[in-house]
């Protein structure tokens, strides 16, 4: 019982930490939305509505894979760390590792 | 010649027999000799005794003469003789006993004959002298011996192997297949994105990997987000510096250019223009009210003459600068008129004697429109020199009408029922001389209807019921007075008046006496000649007095937000620009026009241009097209000038509309600040007078 509750606490604290961090990002000035996506492009956590999330996740996942393969084609020892897409209205930032993708959309001009 | 006899045993045998074996002595008769050609001493001689006889001849002779033949003893020997020819020798000396003998063996014959031939050439050649000489190889064909090459067949090699280059080219190949043709059918798929269930999501959210990932990338995000928030790196300041795109085209014209001017020689002698209005729908048509240019005393003096000389409203068209298109007859000098907004064929005018006049020009609208396009059709109907005259169709009665000259008239955009007694008051705001220019404060509604003046009910007849007053329309209005006051009041009154009439001619009396106006401001010294609202901002009003003008904001109660300095010449009229929110035109008494641009300068006009020599009486703007904005300016001499507004004054920049309210805020703030400072100064003075200098006590008291 004790062990399980301890385990639960640790898991909970991890989850809380994650959520805190995401809230922190979301709270920065100008951020419109934050999405956490798994390696296949399925959203895990989001602050936007479902259809927008799914659209962003699918499109950006493919783009990130492409960008990463580009970087690695040029130099196999290199890897993609950060992808920033600046459009007229927004800036989309994507960071990725082996398992997850974090997408942040910001409106840079006030 | 010596014929050697063979030395051999045969010689010895000759003795024995008398002749060797191979020799057979013969006796040949002369016939045989003749036959065979070996006649003694004729064919064969001692020197040449040899004669070859043919074996066949001998055999033939033996056969023919049989035993008589001379050769019969040798018959057998002849037959055995191997060769064809036998040698017969003529024996002269009778060596063997006979005259001839026959050599029977071949070898003996050869011996005898051979020896003879061998010797002779040798004898000739031996010892002869020889002479040697040179001879070239080419002297004759026999000079040299050639050994040309020749193909020796024994040495020819047959080529068994040969190297050849070969290029392979593909053949074309035709082939065909037959496919199964299936009928087309619609296929669709329905899909939805993969999503995680809640447990899966929570599972992921709890995973340590996610936590590590997010904490590791967080810094990056924060830096980038902050960067974007601090500055926009993609904004090009250089291009954003320029406000409008067209400013760089270099159009330098800033002056108003005279486009056309209208002066009627028949009608506008000694007359002045009191009011000008563009036709609301037909472009290029402008209506002008002509009045007499006389002061009151002169009018009284010449009143009889005036009656004979009626005044008109003239319609001018750009296509015909000499002849007016239409003439509206007025009972008296019209000081102001307006087109009905919903029906441009109806014109209402206010006269100097207090009458309100209505005209209906629907019969002549075609003429106005035709002349706009070319004017060829009218010549059939009317003589071109004659302008049609339209008489007024309705006029208010003098007894019940206004008592003083009507200086402004405005259409109201809504209908109101009034009068239970059947008498209809005009729904137009007609005000007397002591009030000027009253813009209706109502929000404009779509279809404005017009009520008929009393006496003539030919136009729309309203129903007799009373309608409920509309609640949510602002019914406030600004009225400028002759004394220079600007009055802000509400004309929608409660039904506390005696007859329940909402609008009445005597409205103004009770208005000034009974009802209290909301605000009254005395800013101008003399009469207010213009009160106009800005076409861009519904709550900005420009008032022009004689020497100054002021801009007011509805709702700001302590005064105008902008007040101009006093000018040397009188300002006679003011008008907002239709295309630029911060620009308005002021006409002056010396015939010049000031163009004020509030964004540039608030203390002086941005431009001033002289148009005519007489005072300006009215300014109106119109947009013919996006490229042509016209300004109609009328002066006291009766000339109507049409000016073209240059591009700089037409084209508003993007920020003007936004800047104007800010300007107003500035002005308001400045005002408020000034007031506060005044208050502070006042306070200090009072305290000084009272002898108290301690500030803390003051604040507690106040």
């Amino acid at each position: 019982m004790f062990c399980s509750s301890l385990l639960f606490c640790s898991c909970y604290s991890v989850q809380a930490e994650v959520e805190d961090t995401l809230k922190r990002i979301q709270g920065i000035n100008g951020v419109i939305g934050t999405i956490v996506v798994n390696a296949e492009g399925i959203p895990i956590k989001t602050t936007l509505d479902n259809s927008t999330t799914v659209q962003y996740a699918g499109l950006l996942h493919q783009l990130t894979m492409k960008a990463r393969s580009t970087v690695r084609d040029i130099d196999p020892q290199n890897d993609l760390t950060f992808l920033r897409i600046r459009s007229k209205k927004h800036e989309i930032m994507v960071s990725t590792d082996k398992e997850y993708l974090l997408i942040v959309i910001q409106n840079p001009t006030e | 010649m010596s014929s050697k006899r063979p030395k051999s045993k045969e010689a010895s045998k000759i003795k024995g027999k008398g002749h060797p074996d191979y020799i057979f002595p013969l006796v040949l008769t002369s016939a045989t000799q003749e036959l065979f050609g070996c006649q003694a001493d004729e064919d064969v001689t001692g020197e040449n005794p040899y004669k070859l006889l043919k074996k066949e001849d001998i055999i033939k002779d033996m056969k023919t003469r049989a035993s008589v033949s001379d050769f019969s003893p040798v018959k057998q020997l002849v037959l055995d003789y191997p060769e064809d020819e036998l040698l017969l020798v003529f024996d002269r000396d009778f060596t063997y006993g006979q005259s001839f003998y026959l050599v029977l063996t071949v070898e003996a014959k050869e011996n005898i004959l051979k020896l003879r031939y061998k010797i002779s050439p040798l004898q000739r050649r031996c010892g002869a002298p020889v002479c040697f000489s040179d001879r070239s190889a080419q002297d004759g064909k026999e000079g040299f011996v050639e050994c040309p090459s020749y193909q020796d067949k024994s040495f020819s090699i047959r080529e068994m192997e040969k190297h050849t280059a070969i290029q392979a080219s593909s053949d074309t190949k035709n082939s065909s297949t037959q496919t199964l043709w299936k009928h087309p059918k619609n296929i669709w798929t329905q899909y939805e994105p993969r999503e995680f269930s809640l447990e899966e999501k929570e599972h992921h959210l709890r995973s340590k990997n996610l936590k590590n990932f997010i904490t590791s990338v967080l810094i990056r995000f924060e830096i980038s987000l902050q960067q974007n928030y601090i500055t926009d790196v993609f904004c090009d300041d250089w291009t954003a510096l320029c406000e409008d795109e067209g400013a760089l085209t270099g159009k330098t014209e800033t002056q108003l250019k005279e486009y056309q001017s209208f002066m009627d020689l028949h009608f506008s002698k000694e007359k002045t223009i009191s009011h000008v209005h563009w036709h609301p729908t037909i472009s290029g048509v402008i209506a002008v009210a002509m009045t007499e240019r006389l002061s009151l005393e002169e009018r009284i003096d010449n009143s009889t003459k005036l009656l004979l000389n009626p005044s008109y409203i003239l319609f001018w068209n750009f296509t015909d600068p000499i002849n007016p298109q239409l003439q509206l007859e007025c009972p008296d000098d019209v000081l102001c008129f307006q087109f009905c907004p919903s029906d441009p064929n109806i014109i209402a005018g206010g006269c100097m004697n207090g009458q309100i006049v209505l005209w209906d020009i629907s019969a002549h609208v075609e003429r106005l429109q035709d002349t706009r396009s070319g004017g060829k059709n009218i010549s059939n109907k009317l003589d071109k020199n004659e302008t049609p005259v339209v008489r007024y169709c309705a006029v208010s009665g003098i007894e019940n009408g206004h008592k003083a000259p009507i200086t402004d008239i405005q259409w109201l955009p809504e209908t109101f029922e009034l009068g239970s007694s059947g008498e209809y008051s005009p729904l137009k705001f007609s005000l007397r001389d002591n009030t000027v220019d009253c813009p209706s404060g109502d929000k404009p509604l779509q279809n404005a209807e017009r009520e008929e003046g009393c006496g003539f009910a030919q136009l729309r007849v309203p129903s007799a019921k009373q309608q409920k007053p509309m609640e949510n329309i602002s019914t406030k209005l600004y009225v400028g007075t002759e004394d220079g006051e600007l009055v802000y009041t509400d004309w929608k009154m409660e039904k506390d008046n005696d007859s329940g009439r909402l609008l009445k001619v005597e409205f103004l009396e009770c208005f000034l006496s009974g009802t209290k106006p909301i605000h009254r401001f005395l800013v101008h010294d003399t009469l207010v000649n213009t009160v106009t609202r800005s076409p861009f901002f519904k709550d900005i009003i420009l008032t022009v007095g004689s020497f100054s003008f002021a801009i007011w904001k509805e709702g700001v109660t302590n005064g105008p937000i902008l007040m101009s300095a006093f000018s040397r010449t009188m300002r006679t009229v003011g008008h907002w620009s239709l295309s630029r929110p911060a620009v308005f035109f002021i006409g002056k008494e010396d015939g010049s026009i000031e163009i004020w641009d509030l964004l540039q300068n608030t203390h002086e006009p941005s431009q001033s241009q002289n148009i005519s020599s007489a005072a300006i009486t009215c300014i109106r703007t119109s947009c013919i097209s996006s490229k042509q904005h016209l300004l109609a300016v009328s002066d006291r001499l009766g000339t109507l000038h049409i000016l073209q507004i240059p591009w700089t004054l037409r084209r508003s920049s993007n920020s003007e509309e936004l800047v104007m309210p800010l300007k107003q805020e500035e002005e308001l703030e400045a005002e408020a600040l000034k007031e506060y400072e005044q208050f502070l100064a006042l306070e200090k003075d009072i305290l000084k007078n009272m002898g108290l200098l301690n500030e803390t006590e003051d604040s507690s008291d106040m």
Side-chain angles (χ1 to χ4, degrees), chain B residues 317-588:
Chain B
N317 193 308
F318 283 168
T319 56
D320 193 355
I322 300 173
N323 298 316
Q325 300 309 121
L326 207 58
Q327 247 181 311
L328 301 181
E329 202 183 292
C330 332
D332 202 352
D333 283 346
V334 171
L335 289 178
C336 60
F337 67 94
Q338 288 278 347
F339 285 89
C340 175
S342 61
D343 185 4
N345 293 335
I346 310 287
I347 302 154
C351 299
M352 202 171 252
N353 55 2
Q355 279 184 311
I356 296 172
V357 197
L358 277 172
W359 291 275
D360 185 358
I361 56 163
S362 36
H364 301 271
V365 164
E366 274 180 27
R367 188 164 187 262
L368 288 174
Q369 280 172 338
D370 276 343
T371 49
R372 178 172 59 118
S373 56
K376 294 245 171 89
N377 303 337
I378 357 158
S379 53
N380 302 335
K381 296 180 194 168
L382 281 164
D383 190 8
K384 255 202 165 171
N385 290 333
E386 198 185 288
T387 25
V389 177
V390 180
R391 248 184 91 79
Y392 43 86
C393 57
V395 69
S396 67
I398 294 186
E399 305 81 32
N400 291 332
H402 299 275
K403 305 288 187 295
I406 297 173
T407 47
D408 193 40
I409 191 163
Q410 289 283 341
W411 285 92
L412 278 186
E414 59 202 301
T415 56
F416 267 87
E417 283 302 319
L418 36 115
S420 53
S421 56
E423 219 178 278
Y424 301 98
S425 309
L427 271 186
K428 299 164 283 290
F429 242 117
S430 40
L431 303 163
R432 288 182 274 157
D433 187 24
N434 52 359
T435 65
V436 189
D437 199 276
C438 153
S440 70
D442 305 299
K443 290 208 178 80
L445 300 177
Q446 273 79 24
N447 297 320
E449 283 205 321
R450 199 197 43 69
E451 286 260 331
E452 195 29 275
C454 33
F456 291 81
Q458 56 156 285
L459 298 168
R460 283 153 246 147
V461 178
S463 61
K465 339 194 265 283
Q466 275 215 334
Q467 288 178 349
K468 283 192 205 125
M470 300 164 107
E471 299 291 329
N472 52 356
I473 305 172
S474 84
T475 51
K476 308 203 178 8
L477 61 103
Y478 276 93
V479 180
T481 67
E482 200 184 29
D483 302 323
E485 265 187 345
L486 183 70
V487 184
Y488 179 56
T489 182
D490 189 345
W491 58 264
K492 183 182 94 171
M493 294 193 298
E494 306 304 319
K495 276 191 279 187
D496 50 1
N497 290 343
D498 39 351
S499 57
R501 288 182 191 166
L502 290 172
L503 288 171
K504 218 179 170 293
V505 172
E506 288 88 14
F507 159 63
L508 212 52
E509 290 176 343
C510 53
F511 168 56
L512 281 176
S513 58
T515 51
K516 198 174 152 228
I518 301 174
H519 301 289
R520 293 166 78 143
F521 306 102
L522 181 61
V523 243
H524 302 291
D525 296 329
T526 54
L527 74 99
V528 175
N529 53 41
T530 312
V531 176
T532 57
R533 274 182 198 258
S534 164
F536 291 91
F537 304 101
K538 292 287 169 232
D539 49 359
I540 301 291
I541 292 159
L542 167 75
T543 60
V544 178
S546 291
F547 288 100
S548 61
F549 68 86
I551 295 181
W552 308 76
K553 188 173 165 91
E554 205 166 340
V556 172
T557 55
N558 48 0
I561 58 173
L562 182 73
M563 177 98 186
S564 81
F566 290 93
S567 73
R568 274 186 231 115
T569 46
M570 243 173 71
R571 295 193 162 111
T572 50
V573 71
H575 192 76
W576 288 96
S577 159
L578 283 181
S579 52
R580 288 186 68 184
V583 171
F584 53 89
F585 305 96
I586 303 271
K588 299 179 95 165

Side-chain angles (χ1 to χ4, degrees), chain B residues 85-237:
Chain B
E85 291 181 335
L86 283 96
L87 181 65
L88 179 77
V89 178
F90 176 57
D91 192 0
R92 215 154 174 242
D93 299 334
F94 286 87
T95 331
Y96 296 115
Q98 304 288 4
S99 55
F100 292 90
Y101 61 86
L102 200 71
V103 174
L104 295 172
T105 62
V106 177
E107 140 189 281
K109 174 182 101 180
E110 277 179 6
N111 286 340
I112 291 167
L113 284 176
K114 230 189 255 181
L115 284 168
R116 284 191 72 201
Y117 291 113
K118 267 193 189 172
I119 293 170
S120 46
L122 268 168
Q123 264 190 323
R124 251 190 272 135
R125 283 275 178 106
C126 259
V130 176
C131 180
F132 292 105
S133 65
D134 284 336
R135 202 178 78 165
S136 140
Q138 286 141 5
D139 273 350
K141 277 193 189 159
E142 310 87 43
F144 58 98
V145 174
E146 233 182 312
C147 295
S149 63
Y150 65 99
Q151 193 169 26
D152 193 354
K153 289 240 177 0
S154 62
F155 294 103
S156 68
I157 302 173
R158 206 177 94 188
E159 212 173 341
M160 303 295 283
E161 235 176 60
K162 191 169 179 178
H163 288 280
T164 318
I166 289 181
Q167 179 158 14
S169 72
S170 57
D171 287 339
T172 56
K173 189 172 172 184
N174 283 332
S175 75
S176 62
T177 76
Q178 176 112 15
T179 60
L180 288 171
W181 181 73
K182 294 188 183 128
H183 61 276
K185 62 183 178 185
N186 288 330
I187 289 187
W188 62 90
T189 29
Q190 182 155 1
Y191 64 93
E192 55 178 33
R194 283 180 296 175
E195 283 180 351
F196 278 140
S197 66
L198 237 98
E199 299 91 32
E200 282 173 327
K201 280 190 191 169
E202 289 199 355
H203 167 73
H204 273 289
L205 283 171
R206 279 191 219 119
S207 72
K208 281 224 156 144
N209 286 337
L210 183 63
K211 171 184 154 254
N212 293 337
F213 161 66
I214 289 190
T215 44
S216 64
V217 300
L218 181 67
I219 311 267
R220 264 179 230 147
F221 277 102
E222 282 191 328
I223 292 173
S224 309
L225 290 166
Q226 233 175 17
Q227 275 172 2
N228 283 335
Y229 178 58
I230 291 171
T231 175
D232 183 10
V233 294
F234 294 101
C235 173
D236 189 355
D237 293 320

Side-chain angles (χ1 to χ4, degrees), chain B residues 3-117:
Chain B
S3 56
K4 291 181 186 166
R5 296 230 180 170
K7 309 164 196 180
S8 61
K9 297 171 198 170
E10 284 95 3
S12 64
K13 283 187 186 170
I14 297 171
K15 282 182 179 181
K17 293 184 201 172
H19 56 83
D21 285 345
Y22 62 84
I23 291 177
F24 192 82
L26 280 180
V27 174
L28 294 179
T29 60
S30 48
T32 313
Q33 283 179 16
E34 270 181 47
L35 196 68
F36 285 99
C38 53
Q39 290 176 354
D41 293 321
E42 281 181 18
D43 296 322
V44 290
T45 57
E47 286 86 23
N48 198 17
Y50 301 106
K51 184 80 183 167
L52 286 169
L53 300 177
K54 290 220 188 295
K55 183 181 159 181
E56 292 157 14
D57 293 346
I58 300 172
I59 293 170
K60 202 166 66 180
D61 183 50
M62 282 191 288
K63 280 181 187 167
T64 50
R65 295 195 300 166
S67 56
V68 185
S69 166
D70 294 295
F71 295 100
S72 53
V74 294
K75 181 182 169 187
Q76 192 57 47
L77 294 166
V78 169
L79 287 173
D80 292 337
Y81 191 77
E83 283 195 358
D84 288 334
E85 291 181 335
L86 283 96
L87 181 65
L88 179 77
V89 178
F90 176 57
D91 192 0
R92 215 154 174 242
D93 299 334
F94 286 87
T95 331
Y96 296 115
Q98 304 288 4
S99 55
F100 292 90
Y101 61 86
L102 200 71
V103 174
L104 295 172
T105 62
V106 177
E107 140 189 281
K109 174 182 101 180
E110 277 179 6
N111 286 340
I112 291 167
L113 284 176
K114 230 189 255 181
L115 284 168
R116 284 191 72 201
Y117 291 113

